[in-house]
Amino acid sequence: MKRIILLATLATLPINTLLAANYTIDPGHTYVSFAINHLGFSTMRGKFDRQSGSLRYDPASKSASVKIEIDATSIDTGHDKRDAHLQSPDFLNAAESPTITFESTAVQWNGDKLASVSGDLTILGVSKSVTLTVTSINCGKHPFNKKDVCGFDATGSIKRSDYGVNYGLPAIGEVLDLYIELEAFKN
Amino acid sequence: MVIFRLKPQLEPTLMEQILNRPEIQSAVAPFIVALLFSLGLKKVTASAWIWSIFAAFLIAASLINGLTLTPLTGTRKIILAVLGALVVSALAPGVIQRANLRRSLLVLLPMLAVLWVFWKVAMRMEITGIALFVTAAVGLVVALTWAFDRLTGDPASFHAAGFSLMLGTGLCATAAASALLGQLALSLSAASGAVLLAWVLFGNAVKSPHLSKSLTALPYILAPALFGIAAVLLARLPWYALIPLATIPAATSLVPGKIESRFFSALVQSIPGLVIALVVSFWVWQTGSSDSGY
């Protein structure tokens, strides 16, 4: 009887959910970075040093999803005082909202290649839909530990005012370009 | 793929450029608004000075933060709490006759505001951290209540202490890497300065009666407590910077004697608080001194 219930439950799941492989993000080879216009003169870059997450990816069934959690207190622009300011209520308010999340809601394929990932990016408790363009995917056996690994590069843009991060507008740029480069091991 | 944007897409108008300037938002605008309201309401209500600070802070907060309340961050809760405290103190002049009840409310109401604003951050602390946070908050509020209780008979020292305390809190918050908290606190300082100037110009016409029988000290206790704790918890203000700041109203109360001239009275009463505020702010600025990154 239990087997019947289990089979009936499994039958209700989408088939691609069952086929898709689960991966865990390797924090040591995952980089979430950003670029923003600085006072109209140049582009300032920064990154987050701590993130975690998981993804499902199966090109055969064209299914994929991703969830990334980024530690807002790990922001690093190579300048301690500026990093403290970026964590303050003027920008990320990291003491109150220590986690930035991205959770996919839809994926688009170009042939058998993952073309883009759309999802909800949550900053300061505000969730907005963002589409990340996938610029590179490579999967295979890791040469050293022999585990199955996939690497993804993706980019996108957000308007920080959409998340209530208004400090310094318009002098400090409103549009933030996001870059996510991640590696994930198959579970 | 990097998108270079050399100019903002829409050029702001001259008025927008003026209103976007921090010194306009946190000093000039609240000062002018508070002064105009003080003069305009001086014969209408005894609580003119409170409504003046309310109007000035409302304008400044809308310029600095915008009128949005979502997401309801700690900073936005502080704005609401300060506006609420001003309304409560304006609508309840002289209704609380019992000194003990008044003092209890002056401690209780700011503590409730502290818990409302910071519970989310406090819940992530270790139990010892929560105990230290609550103890420090209670100590700060009790010290401010005790000190302002001694000033309520004299508008010059009362507003001079409020002006200096908010100036010190605002400058320290700015130096500790939160311009948002700093600007908001400085706007209250500017408004208090305008109220003090209105008292210098018109004397008893803008003096609120029943200072010692109401909750009129509530905004001057609640606002620096909330902004000070926020600068510690949400930004990088060293907690011990709050200790000298908390002594400002007590130091103001030590100024002896009565001076006939309202101008010199306001000036003399302001000196101890201003000295403490500026010295502490300079020290906070120096301890965190390095290139700001901008």
Side-chain angles (χ1 to χ4, degrees):
Chain A
M1 185 61 185
K2 284 181 181 174
R3 283 183 184 175
I4 294 170
I5 294 171
L6 180 62
L7 286 171
T9 306
L10 291 174
T12 62
L13 294 171
I15 190 71
N16 57 11
T17 303
L18 298 175
L19 293 174
N22 289 312
Y23 292 79
T24 300
I25 286 173
D26 173 11
H29 294 92
T30 296
Y31 301 91
V32 177
S33 58
F34 57 86
I36 192 164
N37 182 273
H38 179 240
L39 306 178
F41 296 116
S42 67
T43 300
M44 195 199 85
R45 296 177 182 278
K47 63 186 175 70
F48 293 91
D49 292 335
R50 289 187 295 277
Q51 50 272 314
S52 61
S54 61
L55 60 95
R56 288 187 308 104
Y57 178 66
D58 184 32
S61 63
K62 292 191 175 174
S63 77
S65 66
V66 61
K67 181 174 183 181
I68 303 176
E69 291 192 346
I70 301 160
D71 183 350
T73 65
S74 71
I75 194 166
D76 179 1
T77 62
H79 190 293
D80 289 344
K81 196 168 182 181
R82 182 170 58 210
D83 293 344
H85 191 195
L86 291 170
Q87 289 176 48
S88 80
D90 294 357
F91 291 97
L92 292 177
N93 201 10
E96 282 190 273
S97 301
T99 307
I100 297 168
T101 61
F102 176 77
E103 188 163 7
S104 64
T105 52
V107 291
Q108 293 79 41
W109 295 80
N110 183 8
D112 60 351
K113 287 281 187 184
L114 184 61
S116 62
V117 179
S118 299
D120 293 328
L121 179 67
T122 304
I123 303 173
L124 293 172
V126 178
S127 295
K128 296 284 179 186
S129 185
V130 171
T131 297
L132 300 174
T133 302
V134 179
T135 56
S136 168
I137 303 173
N138 291 296
C139 294
K141 286 278 184 201
H142 194 283
F144 302 134
N145 60 26
K146 307 302 179 192
K147 291 179 180 175
D148 288 317
V149 62
C150 279
F152 298 81
D153 291 357
T155 65
S157 292
I158 61 169
K159 278 173 72 179
R160 64 187 177 101
S161 60
D162 287 346
Y163 298 88
V165 186
N166 297 321
Y167 180 82
L169 288 174
I172 301 170
E174 180 168 22
V175 176
L176 192 94
D177 297 323
L178 276 175
Y179 305 88
I180 299 177
E181 293 98 22
L182 69 84
E183 287 185 14
F185 286 111
K186 196 173 184 179
N187 293 336
Chain B
M1 183 184 74
V2 178
I3 302 166
F4 290 97
R5 292 178 180 81
L6 295 177
K7 285 183 178 177
Q9 288 174 342
L10 288 174
E11 285 293 332
T13 64
L14 179 63
M15 181 57 77
E16 284 173 333
Q17 286 178 15
I18 291 170
L19 293 178
N20 280 337
R21 297 187 69 85
E23 65 272 27
I24 300 292
Q25 295 173 339
S26 54
V28 177
F31 183 85
I32 290 173
V33 170
L35 193 59
L36 290 176
F37 267 74
S38 289
L39 302 183
L41 294 176
K42 64 184 168 46
K43 291 180 180 171
V44 178
T45 170
S47 301
W49 70 269
I50 305 176
W51 290 118
S52 304
I53 294 178
F54 179 90
F57 186 62
L58 186 63
I59 295 287
S62 63
L63 290 173
I64 295 164
N65 172 72
L67 290 172
T68 180
L69 288 176
T70 53
L72 191 55
T73 60
T75 306
R76 288 173 181 148
K77 285 181 180 175
I78 292 174
I79 293 170
L80 287 177
V82 171
L83 290 172
L86 287 161
V87 170
V88 167
S89 62
L91 294 181
V95 297
I96 300 164
Q97 302 294 328
R98 290 171 55 195
N100 284 342
L101 176 62
R102 180 170 52 82
R103 290 193 196 102
S104 301
L105 285 173
L106 285 175
V107 172
L108 188 65
L109 293 175
M111 279 311 299
L112 287 174
V114 165
L115 292 176
W116 178 54
V117 172
F118 300 110
W119 70 269
K120 201 173 164 185
V121 177
M123 284 302 103
R124 292 199 197 95
M125 295 176 179
E126 302 281 330
I127 190 73
T128 49
I130 295 173
L132 282 172
F133 158 66
V134 172
T135 305
V138 169
L140 180 62
V141 169
V142 168
L144 291 176
T145 303
W146 174 80
F148 271 107
D149 212 41
R150 302 177 63 183
L151 299 175
T152 48
D154 178 12
S157 56
F158 186 72
H159 295 304
F163 163 64
S164 305
L165 182 57
M166 291 314 305
L167 181 72
T169 307
L171 290 176
C172 285
T174 306
S178 176
L180 178 62
L181 292 171
Q183 276 191 262
L184 288 166
L186 287 172
S187 72
L188 281 170
S189 175
S192 304
V195 166
L196 186 60
L197 178 62
W199 178 80
V200 168
L201 295 175
F202 298 100
N204 288 339
V206 290
K207 176 185 173 183
S208 176
H210 315 299
L211 269 179
S212 59
K213 292 179 181 175
S214 67
L215 298 176
T216 42
L218 181 62
Y220 282 154
I221 296 166
L222 180 138
L226 289 179
F227 281 114
I229 293 170
V232 172
L233 289 183
L234 308 182
R236 299 289 175 93
L237 182 67
W239 64 269
Y240 40 84
L242 296 183
I243 296 173
L245 289 176
T247 66
I248 285 176
T252 307
S253 72
L254 296 177
V255 177
K258 289 222 171 229
I259 302 171
E260 283 301 314
S261 162
R262 287 195 298 270
F263 173 76
F264 282 108
S265 178
L267 186 68
V268 170
Q269 302 282 4
S270 299
I271 286 174
L274 284 176
V275 169
I276 295 172
L278 294 175
V279 168
V280 175
S281 305
F282 182 72
W283 167 67
V284 169
W285 183 260
Q286 285 295 304
T287 53
S289 67
S290 67
D291 173 24
S292 71
Y294 300 99

